[in-house]
Amino acid sequence: MKGILLAGCTAALLASSPVLAASSDHSVTHPTTPSVAALDDSVDPALLEMRVDQLKGKDIHGSDGKDMAEIEDIVRYNRQLFAVIDVDHTVDVSDKDVVLPLNKLRVKGDRLTLDMTKDQLQGLEKWQKDRYERVKETGPLSELGR
């Protein structure tokens, strides 16, 4: 009797194995490393064609057209690009640099614009050198992260 019961259980287990195997597909797909544009498609395409050295030292103008800040550097954190912004915008001496996601900047003609007030800009996260990776690549921003 035990032999018949054991044989029946074994047969049932073997018969259900393909069903269990089909329903427990635990395959993992690993995405390829996305480009900067894929990470944040709201970055101005004209900005993505610029190089880091073209952005450093470039003035940022508010929506009123007034010069309100200057880009000090381009940095990366969690595969996202940020501009280090000199908010005080005084002769190479800054009390407060902040980081700004690049998707906030727009290119209008030969100017960089930002739809923020100077007070809003000063309220951004303070630049922390050890938290961000400095971007050293020389090509256009669109090719960073590829």
Side-chain angles (χ1 to χ4, degrees):
M1 183 72 167
K2 285 184 184 178
I4 294 174
L5 184 58
L6 183 59
C9 288
T10 303
L13 185 59
L14 289 174
S16 67
S17 292
V19 173
L20 292 174
S23 67
S24 64
D25 181 17
H26 297 292
S27 63
V28 177
T29 57
H30 298 283
T32 58
T33 303
S35 68
V36 172
L39 285 173
D40 190 350
D41 58 2
S42 64
V43 174
D44 186 334
L47 187 65
L48 287 174
E49 293 309 311
M50 298 179 78
R51 297 183 320 268
V52 172
D53 63 330
Q54 290 175 307
L55 289 170
K56 284 183 180 181
K58 195 143 179 83
D59 291 331
I60 298 174
H61 301 270
S63 54
D64 60 1
K66 292 184 181 178
D67 181 3
M68 63 189 277
E70 180 180 309
I71 295 181
E72 293 288 316
D73 209 348
I74 303 297
V75 295
R76 184 176 12 230
Y77 178 74
N78 282 343
R79 296 155 90 174
Q80 184 179 4
L81 294 177
F82 294 84
V84 177
I85 307 292
D86 178 0
V87 177
D88 296 334
H89 199 42
T90 56
V91 188
D92 292 331
V93 177
S94 178
D95 293 355
K96 179 159 184 184
D97 288 345
V98 297
V99 290
L100 176 77
L102 282 187
N103 65 359
K104 300 291 185 191
L105 293 171
R106 297 287 175 252
V107 178
K108 292 188 180 174
D110 63 345
R111 289 183 156 191
L112 287 179
T113 63
L114 179 63
D115 192 23
M116 292 176 85
T117 66
K118 194 157 188 163
D119 288 339
Q120 288 172 322
L121 190 60
Q122 289 177 338
L124 293 175
E125 179 183 347
K126 188 172 180 178
W127 161 241
Q128 300 170 37
K129 184 177 183 177
D130 57 336
R131 184 173 180 197
Y132 296 85
E133 171 193 358
R134 188 170 179 220
V135 174
K136 298 176 185 171
E137 292 89 344
T138 58
L141 296 178
S142 62
E143 293 181 5
L144 298 180
R146 286 188 179 171

